[in-house]
Amino acid sequence: MLEDLYKKKKLQLFFGFLIGIGFGFLLDRGGATDFNIIVDQLLLRDFRVLKIIFSAIITGMIGVHVIVKYLPPRLQPKPCRWKPIVLGGLIFGVGFAVLGLCPGTAAGAMGTGAVHGAFGVLGMLLGAGIFASFYTYIEDFMSRSDLGPITIPETLGIDRWLVILAFSIILISVMLFLEIIGF
Amino acid sequence: MDIISSELWSPYVVGAAIGILVWIGFIFSNKAIGCSTAYARTAGMGERLVRGDKVEDKPYYKEFVPKIDWEWMLVLGVVIGAFISSTLSGSFRIETVPRIWQESFGSSAILRYVGALIGGSLLGFGARMAGGCTSGHGISGTSQLSLGSWLAFIFFFIGGILTAVILYGGF
């Protein structure tokens, strides 16, 4: 039944659009479409953004693992290409601070009237385009350190529900600690 | 109605609701929420306008075909969703230079736009190299306990924190 739904191409595009509307709405209500809130997080002056991400991870993590247990969807972890992830992650981080927004929140910021957010979107198109041209020369670097689409429970050889429990406890503790010390 | 006009909701409520959106994406579309491939596809569409179908010979565009897909529609939805939210709360306004940027770099809009263009380029390039962004790795990937996504999430913030301290930390 659900598999048939996945094959309906146009309806799926509409679902993507609807989920996007919800996501954009929530990012804005969370304050994540605001340059100042993102930069205050990176300066560790305010932890609103981290609290949003941690709460999303806990909720998402539990739900997704229940879903893949009982419904047709399977986990779709991205390949762990550790060298490109580390280097690309650091480059992303520099851009994250300079723009003060990320790919999702910049699109949202544009919707809230941030002209500079629109320039950020333009920049991302440019950067992604440059990467696509550059890709031929770094294909070797991109694939050499690929450990495959592995998950943390697989890597550690521990039951996934135990990992979920441990991660939930750690993330909740961090948030509790932040609240206690006044963030 | 308070909840409609209140500009900022509790981050815990917002985060939990985003987590539920991740469920919805999985159940009804068999997809993980992400944003950065939409930029790569759009860049390819732009190139096609200039260079024609030869664009699809580039190995990268063989993997990420320049066309409108689920994730592309999601990013379009994000723009509209944030527009609806900010209009309802009354926070919608044309912003050229954000406050903290202004404290470090002054009130020139041109300088901010150039900075945003450079920052955006680094984001676009870095996200494609790392294979995802704050949504695809940082929320969807981490939720699946993907090892690479947790690694990416940590390095996004290491790079971001170090750069923010240099740029805006007042040193």
Side-chain angles (χ1 to χ4, degrees), chain A residues 6 12 28 76 103 116 179, chain B residues 12 27 29 39 85 95 144:
Chain A
Y6 303 151
Q12 283 302 332
D28 185 56
Q76 33 190 285
H116 60 103
E179 290 290 339
Chain B
Y12 305 114
I27 296 174
S29 296
Y39 292 95
S85 164
E95 180 186 65
Q144 298 178 67

Side-chain angles (χ1 to χ4, degrees), chain A residues 88-108:
Chain A
L90 288 172
I91 295 171
F92 182 97
V94 175
F96 195 15
V98 175
L99 179 59
L101 297 161
C102 61
T105 56

Side-chain angles (χ1 to χ4, degrees), chain A residues 8 51 71 78 92 96 117 145:
Chain A
K8 299 203 163 89
K51 289 175 191 171
L71 293 172
K78 295 174 186 251
F92 182 97
F96 195 15
S145 64

Side-chain angles (χ1 to χ4, degrees), chain A residues 2 5-6 12-13 15-17 19-31 33 35-37 39-45 48 51-57 59-61 63-65 67-68 71 73-78 80 82 84-99 101-104 107-108 110-116 119-136 138-139 141-142 150-153 155 160 163-164 167 171 175 179, chain B residues 3-9 11-12 14-33 35-36 39-40 42-43 47 58-61 63 68-70 73-86 88-89 91-96 98-101 112-113 115-117 119-139 142-148 150-153 155-161 163-165 167-169:
Chain A
L2 279 171
L5 194 62
Y6 303 151
Q12 283 302 332
L13 291 181
F15 282 174
F17 183 60
I19 291 174
I21 290 179
F23 192 36
F25 192 98
L26 289 166
L27 287 175
D28 185 56
R29 288 302 159 113
T33 56
F35 172 99
N36 296 310
I37 289 179
V39 170
D40 269 339
Q41 171 64 73
L42 294 177
L43 291 172
L44 310 178
R45 289 179 188 158
R48 176 166 265 279
K51 289 175 191 171
I52 294 174
I53 297 177
F54 280 7
S55 311
I57 293 174
T59 316
M61 182 170 64
V64 163
H65 285 86
I67 291 165
V68 299
L71 293 172
R74 291 289 154 261
L75 286 182
Q76 33 190 285
K78 295 174 186 251
C80 183
W82 71 267
I85 285 177
V86 169
L87 182 61
L90 288 172
I91 295 171
F92 182 97
V94 175
F96 195 15
V98 175
L99 179 59
L101 297 161
C102 61
M110 202 165 88
T112 69
V115 183
H116 60 103
F119 278 91
V121 167
L122 219 60
M124 283 186 279
L125 295 177
L126 204 67
I130 293 170
F131 181 79
S133 300
F134 201 56
Y135 185 69
T136 329
I138 55 167
E139 265 189 301
F141 168 74
M142 289 299 295
I150 49 169
T151 64
I152 292 171
T155 313
R160 58 170 73 163
V163 178
I164 291 168
F167 272 63
L171 298 183
M175 292 191 288
E179 290 290 339
Chain B
I3 197 159
I4 296 299
S5 63
S6 150
E7 199 176 309
L8 285 181
W9 289 356
Y12 305 114
V14 169
I18 290 174
I20 293 171
L21 276 184
V22 172
W23 307 352
I24 296 174
F26 255 85
I27 296 174
F28 294 103
S29 296
N30 194 17
K31 296 264 190 207
I33 289 178
C35 291
S36 69
Y39 292 95
T42 311
E47 264 188 77
K58 281 191 183 173
Y60 196 70
Y61 291 132
E63 196 179 334
I68 290 173
D69 69 340
W70 189 86
M73 292 300 291
L74 182 132
V75 175
L76 179 67
V78 168
V79 179
I80 294 169
F83 173 74
I84 295 170
S85 164
S86 61
L88 289 177
S89 70
S91 65
F92 181 93
R93 68 193 174 86
I94 299 299
E95 180 186 65
T96 52
R99 176 179 50 81
I100 299 176
W101 176 276
R112 172 57 190 153
Y113 295 158
L117 207 60
S121 305
L122 292 167
L123 275 175
F125 189 91
R128 289 334 303 151
M129 182 179 278
C133 65
T134 341
S135 317
H137 272 316
I139 294 175
T142 51
S143 290
Q144 298 178 67
L145 293 172
S146 149
L147 182 64
W150 275 96
L151 195 64
F153 178 53
F155 278 90
F156 291 164
F157 274 86
I158 292 176
I161 290 169
T163 311
V165 169
L167 292 181
Y168 315 109

